[in-house]
Amino acid sequence: MRFLKACLFDLDGVLCNTAKYHFIAWKKLADRLGISFTERDNERLKGVSRMESLEILLSLGKKQYSPEEKRKMAAEKNGNYLALIRKMTRDEILPGAVDFLQYVRSRGIRTSLGSVSKNAGVILERTGLGRFFDSIVDGNRVTRAKPDPEVFLTGARDLGIPPENCAVFEDAQSGLIAARRAGMARIGIGNPEILTAAEFCIPGFSSMAPEKLLARIESAMEKRQKGA
Ligand code: BG6
Ligand code: MG
């Protein structure tokens, strides 16, 4: 690989199916508050911090709440969420993710986790995914959530790799915008109609052989660098 030197992975919805647990936990709070909250609404919360997510959810309702009430609601959602992720097992790692991580590392490409979740540590521990990363950047290390590029720029700095040699894997439009601002290649995991900031999308890591995926990223990076 001439251009690709590091792969940076979002966690929730990319390596494991925790995006669904975030939705279930927010939905439980929304139901209690009498706010209608759909999976489509939930797209706007992906990659966004806990408090910003709460503000988006509350904007779907009519009532105003005090900062103290909001703090309690965020804690309630996190309680709902922790109850779900504390029961996770390695079976909840998304198909193909471990094979891809192992393949990438066997080719000498460095890896970083780039999540704004403060709960990433629990998930890495429950699933055993932590050992596949040279750098771990989570919500306890950064102050600005996606679409700010801080999470990915911190990962690249940890690895000592320039942003133009990094590729980001993301299931959220906010995360892809963060990667674009960081000057990195962008692979969307999911629907290309939603993930318009991706250079290309795949349905998941099991949809393509690891060597083919790396070749596709390398060629996208080469094109970009030649065009620059
Ligand atoms: C991101 C999720 O990974 O973490 C967001 O995509 C979530 O939906 C954010 O709001 C913060 O997570 P947590 O676990 O710190 O509340
Ligand atoms: Mg995600």
Side-chain angles (χ1 to χ4, degrees), residues 26 28-36 51 53-74 76:
W26 282 123
K28 196 167 173 187
L29 174 71
D31 287 350
R32 185 178 74 66
L33 298 173
I35 296 174
S36 146
M51 290 313 286
S53 297
L54 176 66
E55 293 294 348
I56 295 171
L57 185 143
L58 293 178
S59 74
L60 301 169
K62 292 192 181 74
K63 278 183 75 176
Q64 303 290 317
Y65 297 93
S66 69
E68 180 56 15
E69 285 172 313
K70 288 182 188 172
R71 198 192 54 73
K72 283 189 182 150
M73 285 175 198
E76 181 182 332

Side-chain angles (χ1 to χ4, degrees), residues 6 26-27 52 57 69 72 80 83 91-92 100 104 120 126 150-151 174 182 188 201 220-221:
W26 282 123
K27 175 91 178 123
E52 285 167 312
L57 185 143
E69 285 172 313
K72 283 189 182 150
N80 297 341
D91 293 345
E92 287 170 83
F100 186 70
V104 157
R126 294 293 311 167
E150 184 185 7
V151 65
S174 64
C201 287
M221 283 178 136

